[in-house]
Amino acid sequence: MRSSIDYGHGIVAVDSGFVRPMLDAVHLVVEGGRAAVVDTASNESVPHVLAALAERGLSAAQVDWVMLTHVHLDHAGGAGAMMAQFPNARLAVHPRGARHMIDPSRLTAATIEVYGAEAARRMYGDIVPVPADRVVEMPDGATLSLNGRRFEFLDTPGHARHHACIVDERTGHIFAGDTFGLSYRELERDGRHAIFPSTTPVQFDPPALHASIDRLIARAPGAIYVTHFGQVTDVQRCAADLHRLIDAHVQLALDCRDAGPGRGEGLREGVRAMLLEEARRNDWPVSGQALFDLFELDIMLNADGLAAWLDAGAPGAGR
């Protein structure tokens, strides 16, 4: 597997090494000898990012920004460790997420609740706090500059209330975290990108997610970069698929609402069935058990997110 993918325009997807190859990207942006990192994955990503910088003749001191789309630990778990390596960098993050980077105790507790203590420790290790004076809150419409290259933060709830998408004004491309779903490289066929939504617990909000996707598409980006994994270019078609699949997840949840003790397995089976149907519909090169293995973590998280949404009263189900 490739350790990185260079998309031009100074944008590189670096494989973080989290869980499996090509699951979790750290995007590197280079502009005139200065660099920014978009999302950090876990602590294990730090040597991979340092190596990617070195391959481009850059040192850790030349990183000016670490930009987070949101603070779920597969996106932000390595932020503190990475900031410790980047002496001149500031951390740009949604206002709702800033406090969790400064004091990650509640974030860690929430992660343990989802994964269990042993798995959370194995996946993420110790979450390092970021000094408050290095954290910059980025509300909707806020911009920052990387050596003259401007980036705009958009408030994009739906996956999480602390989610932002980041517009690169130089290219018009957008770093979308999980708002624009999952697009694993193993599922590409003849340059056609696969797409599947992420309904991770505990703040899945279907109407907000639909609206956030529409907001991205209204910018007419030539490309969108998702953390899982890399560049998506057929954005109109992928957006339509995401809308359809979000609605399918909602219907699955409502169908399982009164399933009692079997609800969790019913939700997981429903997500698996959706994956098989998408593989058939789009002629993905991976199907069956291999597809389930590829999405093992996502099947669990999507099902758990739907369960959390039901437990919250299924807000927005009628909209």
Side-chain angles (χ1 to χ4, degrees):
M1 284 288 188
R2 293 169 289 181
S3 61
S4 65
I5 305 172
D6 191 328
Y7 292 114
H9 309 290
I11 299 171
V12 180
V14 180
D15 189 354
S16 69
F18 180 70
V19 178
R20 65 166 177 81
M22 296 292 179
L23 172 71
D24 203 2
V26 175
H27 285 98
L28 182 65
V29 184
V30 178
E31 181 65 31
R34 308 303 297 181
V37 169
V38 182
D39 284 347
T40 67
S42 68
N43 293 338
E44 292 182 1
S45 71
V46 173
H48 300 285
V49 173
L50 291 173
L53 287 166
E55 287 171 7
R56 288 155 182 83
L58 298 171
S59 70
Q62 289 170 277
V63 178
D64 291 340
W65 290 101
V66 172
M67 298 184 268
L68 299 180
T69 61
H70 61 301
V71 300
H72 289 164
L73 292 186
D74 55 328
H75 296 253
M82 203 169 284
M83 290 291 287
Q85 294 290 322
F86 300 155
N88 299 316
R90 288 175 287 172
L91 182 80
V93 61
H94 191 288
R96 289 180 179 268
R99 66 183 183 275
H100 298 297
M101 292 292 92
I102 297 165
D103 177 5
S105 57
R106 289 181 61 187
L107 191 60
T108 301
T111 303
I112 290 171
E113 186 175 347
V114 172
Y115 294 102
E118 182 179 345
R121 173 78 179 183
R122 183 177 65 253
M123 293 169 72
Y124 298 111
D126 294 323
I127 307 304
V128 179
V130 179
D133 61 358
R134 299 182 68 189
V135 175
V136 180
E137 295 187 9
M138 301 296 289
D140 186 52
T143 62
L144 59 80
S145 174
L146 174 67
N147 201 19
R149 183 170 177 170
R150 284 165 54 89
F151 294 83
E152 180 186 2
F153 277 62
L154 305 179
D155 182 25
T156 50
H159 177 78
R161 288 192 289 272
H162 49 82
H163 201 298
C165 291
I166 304 165
V167 181
D168 173 11
E169 294 188 358
R170 171 72 54 82
T171 61
H173 297 179
I174 300 175
F175 297 92
D178 283 347
T179 293
F180 209 70
L182 316 166
S183 184
Y184 292 131
R185 300 303 95 182
E186 295 91 337
L187 302 180
E188 284 186 31
R189 186 184 290 279
D190 300 326
R192 180 182 170 91
H193 297 117
I195 205 77
F196 200 76
S198 174
T199 64
T200 301
V202 292
Q203 296 178 351
F204 174 54
D205 181 336
L209 187 53
H210 282 303
S212 290
I213 291 167
D214 286 341
R215 189 178 188 194
L216 300 187
I217 295 304
R219 294 291 185 113
I224 289 178
Y225 301 91
V226 298
T227 302
H228 313 288
F229 182 101
Q231 187 188 76
V232 175
T233 52
D234 189 1
V235 296
Q236 291 284 350
R237 191 263 308 168
C238 288
D241 284 349
L242 282 172
H243 284 310
R244 172 176 55 81
L245 287 164
I246 292 164
D247 288 342
H249 276 75
V250 167
Q251 189 58 55
L252 167 64
L254 295 176
D255 289 345
C256 292
R257 177 157 43 186
D258 300 320
R263 185 182 72 174
E265 184 53 34
L267 290 168
R268 289 187 290 274
E269 280 301 313
V271 175
R272 292 187 190 102
M274 262 187 270
L275 284 167
L276 289 177
E277 173 57 22
E278 288 305 295
R280 184 202 63 77
R281 176 193 290 259
N282 294 289
D283 194 26
W284 288 350
V286 180
S287 190
Q289 187 58 49
L291 183 64
F292 298 156
D293 291 344
L294 190 68
F295 279 87
E296 180 181 12
L297 187 59
D298 305 302
I299 291 167
M300 180 195 77
L301 290 173
N302 276 23
D304 287 353
L306 294 177
W309 177 70
L310 288 173
D311 290 342
R319 283 179 276 174

